[in-house]
Amino acid sequence: AGNFECLTAAIQGGANSVYFGVGNLNMRSHSANNFQPEDLSEICQICRQSGVKTYLTLNIVLYDEEMEAARKALDAAKAAGVTAVIASDMAAISYARSIGLEVHISTQMGITNYAAATAAYKMGAKRVVLARELNLEEIREIRKKVDPKLEIETFGHGAMCVSYSGRCLLSNYMTGRDSNRGACAQP
């Protein structure tokens, strides 16, 4: 959900959870009407009233100048009662865990094997969203080899980047559109 209209439509459509970003800290930052950190309380209140889980996507590669904004967004998410944060950057994951937020590992981290999934679990991740490159048999093998308490999620459809799980540099090189900011030209 990128705005309150989409949030309402998702809830009215029967969604049991919603995924959303704030500001420019997510893979859909090029959207003109993204939520802002100050919207988190209202989002969570609306969703709680409908029994809908809330997942904050803070799934970009963070740069030093973005760390303060990321911490503020995570603090606001914690205060608002967000169900979990979906992240791929180690700094975001570490900070979220330090303030007691549930963490789900984004597909952007590129988890392609059981050892990486286990490492994420040991770091405190409740769920991992596996890399998009995996086939069904590889997913089954990971499921067999990780702690049964670790939730596994995978994409059933969507863009397949030239590089691993959205870490494509080709788009930025060819068009100036950074895929790691949600603006992939999908060359």
Side-chain angles (χ1 to χ4, degrees):
N3 57 46
F4 284 103
E5 182 180 354
C6 292
L7 177 68
T8 301
I11 293 169
Q12 289 176 347
N16 64 0
S17 58
V18 291
Y19 295 72
F20 53 86
V22 293
N24 64 352
L25 299 172
N26 64 90
M27 293 296 292
R28 303 293 176 257
S29 63
H30 70 285
S31 176
N33 56 1
N34 247 354
F35 288 117
Q36 296 303 313
E38 54 270 18
D39 296 324
L40 288 170
S41 291
E42 186 176 356
I43 293 166
C44 289
Q45 180 182 8
I46 291 167
C47 289
R48 267 192 300 277
Q49 290 171 348
S50 300
V52 173
K53 293 181 179 179
T54 52
Y55 297 107
L56 173 65
T57 57
L58 202 155
N59 55 350
I60 63 167
V61 175
L62 286 168
Y63 295 98
D64 283 338
E65 62 271 11
E66 297 167 316
M67 291 308 303
E68 184 177 343
R71 285 188 198 104
K72 285 181 180 180
L74 290 167
D75 288 337
K78 174 69 175 169
V82 164
T83 304
V85 61
I86 302 167
S88 58
D89 188 274
M90 292 302 296
I93 292 165
S94 177
Y95 186 74
R97 292 298 304 137
S98 76
I99 62 171
L101 268 173
E102 183 175 304
V103 173
H104 296 184
I105 302 299
S106 170
T107 190
Q108 295 302 114
M109 188 173 267
I111 304 252
T112 58
N113 59 69
Y114 78 92
T118 298
Y121 181 64
K122 288 180 179 177
M123 287 187 310
K126 182 177 179 188
R127 176 183 300 170
V128 295
V129 184
L130 297 175
R132 298 172 188 173
E133 297 77 28
L134 297 175
N135 63 41
L136 193 53
E137 187 54 38
E138 292 166 325
I139 294 167
R140 277 190 199 104
E141 284 301 307
I142 291 170
R143 174 74 277 164
K144 286 183 203 174
K145 294 178 179 179
V146 298
D147 192 302
K149 293 178 194 154
L150 176 62
E151 296 175 6
I152 292 180
E153 183 177 326
T154 188
F155 278 77
H157 63 84
M160 283 297 294
C161 299
V162 172
S163 189
Y164 287 97
S165 290
R167 295 182 185 200
C168 174
L169 302 176
L170 192 58
S171 174
N172 203 8
Y173 175 76
M174 290 177 67
T175 68
R177 290 175 52 188
D178 190 347
S179 64
N180 289 314
R181 298 291 173 190
C184 186
Q186 298 187 4

